[in-house]
Amino acid sequence: MSARAAITVENLAKSYGGVHALKGISFEVGRGEILGLLGPNGSGKTTTVTLLSTLQRPTAGAASICGADVVSDAARVRELISLTGQYASMDDTLTAVENLSVFGRLTGLRSARLRSRIDDVVEQFDLGGVRDRRVGALSGGMRRRVDIAAALITRPQVLFLDEPTTGLDPRSRAAVWDTVAGLRAEGITVLLTTQYLEEADRLADNIVMLDQGSVVASGTPGRLKQQAGAAVCEMTLADRADTGRVLERLADLEVIDAPDDSAASTTHPRVVVRAPDGMGTVREVIARLEAVRIDVIDIGLRQPSLDEVFFQLTETAR
Ligand SMILES: Nc1ncnc2c1ncn2[C@@H]1O[C@H](COP(=O)(O)OP(=O)(O)OP(=O)(O)O)[C@@H](O)[C@H]1O
Ligand SMILES: [Mg+2]
């Protein structure tokens, strides 16, 4: 364990009666890093955030923020961190600036100092155009930005963002991504939870994948993709009716993804198989499909996506 880590988690566990929400997880986040805590519904993401931000106490194990223990040194931890919860905590009836002011006051900022911090975050998050608009009238993405701005009004060392983009449309999501990426430049350590692989892949230096309260994988996005094994051969078929014949022809290859038979979809079906011999496998696949005159619109070799890694890992854990 490194004393210089921003977040250290060791065998952290939390049970609610008979529900073991976290079954002893361990990881570390370096200062200034962005960690993506990834997992499906109920995997323990919010529980981890509430323990690290001292909102609840662990059942077992330990965690610290910049060396301060979350149980024995909780007051110090609260000075070091800030949290944007899974459910936005803004007051809809107040304007953006009024909400920022409420947050600032809660953390002890007053008068000129408070006004100057509000101006700072309004500029940093490009909120000038909405400062005097009621938060209830803002788009989801803009609301999220006000929410993150409020969490940063105290200049925390460590920021927790619990599912910052869930429920946002792609454009708003991209705006929040820019905001989070900007925090890196400020040297703030960020732990963000997400259900979106793409989000973790884009933003995080390291990823911890949770499933049912346990860590199922961790590492850089690149390493996790490598861990998923050899490259894959992805093909798009011209005719959905060919799917069964294709799978028959490729029966000796590991199927990573194939269209669901029952799905009456109008899109061209996509089949993904493991390519242990790289381009050799792709050539072999083409030869076999040509031999039985199956039309392929597109075929190629690529690395497995984080999505495929995740499904593979959570499936083997079950
Ligand atoms: N206060 C509580 N009392 C009882 N069980 C709880 C409580 N809080 C969480 N749990 C349970 O702990 C498990 C983990 O929940 P948690 O909220 O941490 O998951 P999550 O990964 O944040 O999920 P989501 O993606 O839905 O937000 C779930 O089974 C949940 O039902
Ligand atoms: Mg949650």
Side-chain angles (χ1 to χ4, degrees), residues 42 45-47 86-87 162-163 193:
K45 301 182 299 295
T46 298
T47 302
Q86 182 164 5
Y87 304 102
D162 197 2
E163 300 203 20
T193 77

Side-chain angles (χ1 to χ4, degrees), residues 147-189:
D147 216 2
I148 296 173
L152 289 173
I153 211 153
T154 59
R155 296 183 183 277
Q157 300 273 319
V158 176
L159 175 66
F160 296 103
L161 297 172
D162 197 2
E163 300 203 20
T165 66
T166 297
L168 299 186
D169 63 31
R171 185 188 295 255
S172 302
R173 179 169 298 162
V176 172
W177 285 346
D178 285 346
T179 304
V180 175
L183 299 177
R184 187 196 303 275
E186 303 248 312
I188 296 174
T189 305

Side-chain angles (χ1 to χ4, degrees), residues 32-44:
E33 274 181 24
I34 300 183
L35 179 87
L37 190 61
L38 193 69
N41 289 131
S43 54

Side-chain angles (χ1 to χ4, degrees), residues 3 52 106 121 130 149 206 247 300 303-304:
L52 294 179
L106 282 174
V121 294
V130 300
N206 283 292
L247 294 176
Q303 292 305 308

